[in-house]
Amino acid sequence: MKLLVIGCGQCGGRISDEFAKLNRRSRSDRNLDIVTSVIAVNTDVADLSGLSNVKKDPVHRLMIGSERSGGHGVGKINELGADIARDDSNKIAEALSSTGAMTESDAVLVIAGAAGGTGSGAMPVISRLIKERFPGKAVYDMAVLPFQHEEETEARTIFNVATCLKSVYLVADAVFLVDNQKYAKEETSVRANMGDINIQVVEPFYNLLCADEERHPDHIGGKVIDSGDIMETLSGWTVFGYGKSTKSGGRAFGLGGLRQDFKDKEDDIQKGARALKQAIDELSVKCDPSYAQRALYMVTAPSKAMNLSLIKDMASSIQKLSPKAMIRGGDYPRGKNAVEVTLVLSELSNVNLVKHYFDRVISRPGETRNKGTGIYEVKVHGSFEDIPILI
Ligand SMILES: Nc1nc2c(ncn2[C@@H]2O[C@H](COP(=O)(O)OP(=O)(O)OP(=O)(O)O)[C@@H](O)[C@H]2O)c(=O)[nH]1
Ligand SMILES: [Mg+2]
């Protein structure tokens, strides 16, 4: 499956930069293309020049709204970010067309930090623009949710996240949710933390996108997850996770003395179970998987390890986890020792963290000031319907 990736604002730009790197890796290691083009859109010239892997020309590093932002961002005012993207929509559409990548892309992935200004505002506007100008093209948005401390220290955080989420849900075919806080490590610096998070965020897409592009029979699974399966799975609120197990565990599970081929098989099943557990533990947002209406898993392992029991165990674990979901699964024979699992849970009918933002943006008497921090938060009077949208 091939994606055209658009990163909006600083956060979106940096994650899209990781997608450009991912494609370099798939090309050099597997001779496959999974990303057709990466465009970083920003109102901040310094953010754009700080990227490493996105092509350096003004089409792929697209500056918008320089007159209004002075080239320094929009200072977390996401309505302004949305306005600027709307004003410059012709420029954005022309950049998209001029890459020539749209026709060979199965879908477009638009990425931004929901708490920021430029990306949070531009992501829904750009998603809508693609829907209008490139009819029929699937558009997926990736909304990165803020660290907890940002909620407590920045007045506009909750408002930006709530308005961005409401907008992208209305316009995109699916919204990947990523919770920065869930990936955060206390002991590392903010900058290193974000770099690590960005790497972790794109990793689950590697095997998932590669599998359908494979042409060599050695790497074509018994059941290939193709772009059709992925697109059928993606709908509404979506989370994803990835796990990898290389540890050999045969003896530890009391299998000493059994025949070697049987031990190897048991070992692979244990590896699969461990990788699945990690994928669930490391889902991009904490959620209750039983709310998923659709799910997808892909097992990547050397073909000799890809036995039927491994796949069957995986399928039944996911079935228990998300009993209401329509589940699609597949195998991808690749790699040496590891069993890797990519898990996608989609069409989630309830995500507590999303509800938290919608609830918190609506003011109740005396609540615009956060009692704990004393900060005056930007709030909306009324109910969910009164939360403004940016498109
Ligand atoms: N995971 C991750 N989150 C980031 C990164 N950069 C910023 N963020 C998060 O994104 C949010 C802020 O959005 P930014 O992308 O900085 O804002 P922007 O879109 O550039 O908008 P303005 O700077 O206001 O014009 C915060 O919640 C940050 O924690 C990054 O590289 N990775
Ligand atoms: Mg910025």
Side-chain angles (χ1 to χ4, degrees), residues 61 71 88 94 160 167 209 240 280 332 334 342 353 377:
R61 298 191 183 193
D88 274 351
E94 275 161 30
N160 287 355
S167 308
L209 297 176
F240 54 95
I280 296 165
Y332 180 24
R334 263 283 182 192
T342 306
L353 191 56
E377 292 175 350

Side-chain angles (χ1 to χ4, degrees), residues 8-12 14-15 42-43 47 73-77 113 115-120 144-147 150 180 194 197-198:
C8 310
Q10 173 183 287
C11 174
R14 287 189 190 159
I15 295 177
N42 213 325
T43 56
D47 275 355
V74 299
K76 304 280 177 276
I77 311 295
T118 301
S120 172
V144 178
L145 305 173
F147 296 101
E150 293 174 310
N180 268 345
M194 283 189 180
I197 293 173
N198 298 349

